[in-house]
């Protein structure tokens, strides 16, 4: 595997987490205006992406592979808990 392939593999590993984090940040800004009023969209996106990435890494560590439904569930839990902690616990 050359370095470009490694970059593509890592990008494709973390892309679902960052894509869902973008959608969740947008949904939070639209649906929970009071709780997320003081935060920028980019901040919510960054925290959600980091939480989702940790969920993907946890799934890869626990399950030994990526792309499983349990792995995507851990990714969603990571994004949701992180965004909940950032907005509602302030």
């Amino acid at each position: 595997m050359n370095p470009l392939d490694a970059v593509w593999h890592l990008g494709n590993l973390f892309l679902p987490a960052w894509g869902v984090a973008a959608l969740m940040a947008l949904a939070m800004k639209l649906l929970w205006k009071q709780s997320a009023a003081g935060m920028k969209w980019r901040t919510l996106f960054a925290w959600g992406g980091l939480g989702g990435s940790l969920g993907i890494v946890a799934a890869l560590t626990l399950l030994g592979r990526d792309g499983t439904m349990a792995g995507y569930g851990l990714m969603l839990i990571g994004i949701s808990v992180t965004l909940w902690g950032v907005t509602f616990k302030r």
Side-chain angles (χ1 to χ4, degrees):
M1 178 185 308
N2 62 22
L4 184 60
D5 287 338
V7 168
W8 279 111
H9 279 287
L10 285 175
N12 287 325
L13 177 67
F14 293 114
L15 184 66
W18 289 90
V20 172
L23 293 173
M24 288 285 287
L26 179 65
M28 287 197 70
K29 289 301 273 185
L30 293 175
L31 298 175
W32 291 284
K33 294 179 184 178
Q34 296 286 70
S35 298
M39 302 193 75
K40 294 181 181 177
W41 181 85
R42 290 183 301 204
T43 305
L44 291 171
F45 169 65
W47 279 107
L50 288 174
S53 296
L54 287 175
I56 290 287
V57 169
L60 193 59
T61 304
L62 293 173
L63 303 173
R65 53 179 292 199
D66 65 329
T68 61
M69 292 302 290
Y72 288 130
L74 284 173
M75 176 192 72
L76 288 175
I77 289 170
I79 294 170
S80 301
V81 168
T82 305
L83 289 179
W84 173 76
V86 168
T87 56
F88 294 117
K89 297 300 260 183
R90 272 192 312 126

